[in-house]
Amino acid sequence: TNTNTNTNTNTSNNTITMAENIQNMNSTGDAVNSEPLRLRTALGFKSLVRSMSGLTSGSATSGSPNTNQARAGGALFAESQMPSSGKLTVESDRQVIKEIEDKVMQTYVHFAVLAQCTLVNLLDEHAGRNPKDKLHFTLHGKQFSGNDVAMLKDQLGALEHIEQRIAVLDLSRNLLDSEGCTKLFKHVVARLPILTELDLSENPLMGPAAMRTLCMYLGNSVIEVLHLRACGMNNDAIRHLQRFKFPKEFKRLDLSVSGQKGEGRAALRSQCPRATHAHT
């Protein structure tokens, strides 16, 4: 029997069980149709939303005080805390354990996407599906990567009334890289007609290469606020911005905790006066 002193308190049997339940619901259409879910659940609406919000980092219509409070936290699958990084009595088992970890992580991400879509749909239905309501959609800290973009696209596409009204998309503290960023803009952001705020903060795998993608797609979007805190942006990334003409509607670019030096900061300010550089 293998022994391992590393533990990860952020995954649980309950999470995996709920993920399987959500996936089963999705296969029958219930995850994208709130009516069957509402009729079948024994929980009251508030209890259901409270339970799901804790697992999806929260979701709300614009102006809800719960949105910012629910955003804190997120999953952590730190490599140093995973069983495959520990001491094993049988070294040949490490690859098998790693494959199991990957499946658990994938299940976690897929559950987060399905649960968030279900939660937003329920909240919207409860609010009367007012077409003027602007929606927040968050997958903060869910290990979301480029490999998961297709699933997010499909799930949002099945909720067209939701997709058309998402004004804020929070994908902070995840695993998006430059390629994943391209997929995100091409397959998701391009389908959100009123998206004005995008949070990609704490996606350290993005790096300067992702700035090319951002500049390529940003000019054709209606995004007014873009958060790129701690995304590994440096002076190379700023050089791409120097050649980019910000839309007149653009209001704020957050590059806090990035690696650009004085020269890069000055260049960015000349291009986007409302760019922020706190703690760089």
Side-chain angles (χ1 to χ4, degrees), residues 62-83:
S62 181
S64 168
N66 294 326
T67 305
N68 291 332
Q69 294 176 5
R71 185 181 177 280
L76 174 64
F77 288 92
E79 205 170 299
S80 61
Q81 296 180 1
M82 300 301 281

Side-chain angles (χ1 to χ4, degrees), residues 157-177:
L159 295 169
E160 187 175 353
H161 58 287
I162 298 295
E163 191 176 49
Q164 298 299 308
R165 289 163 41 228
I166 294 177
V168 179
L169 178 61
D170 182 356
L171 295 175
S172 58
R173 194 175 291 183
N174 279 302
L175 299 175
L176 287 168
D177 55 14

Side-chain angles (χ1 to χ4, degrees), residues 140-159:
H140 169 77
K142 298 303 178 188
Q143 305 292 300
F144 185 85
S145 72
N147 295 330
D148 307 305
V149 169
M151 182 186 184
L152 178 59
K153 169 183 173 289
D154 291 343
Q155 293 303 314
L156 289 178
L159 295 169

Side-chain angles (χ1 to χ4, degrees), residues 16 18 54 75 138 141-142 145 151 160 205 224 249 262 266 271 280:
I16 296 172
M18 293 190 72
T138 176
K142 298 303 178 188
S145 72
M151 182 186 184
E160 187 175 353
L205 299 180
E224 300 175 354
E249 297 84 4
Q271 295 296 105
T280 55

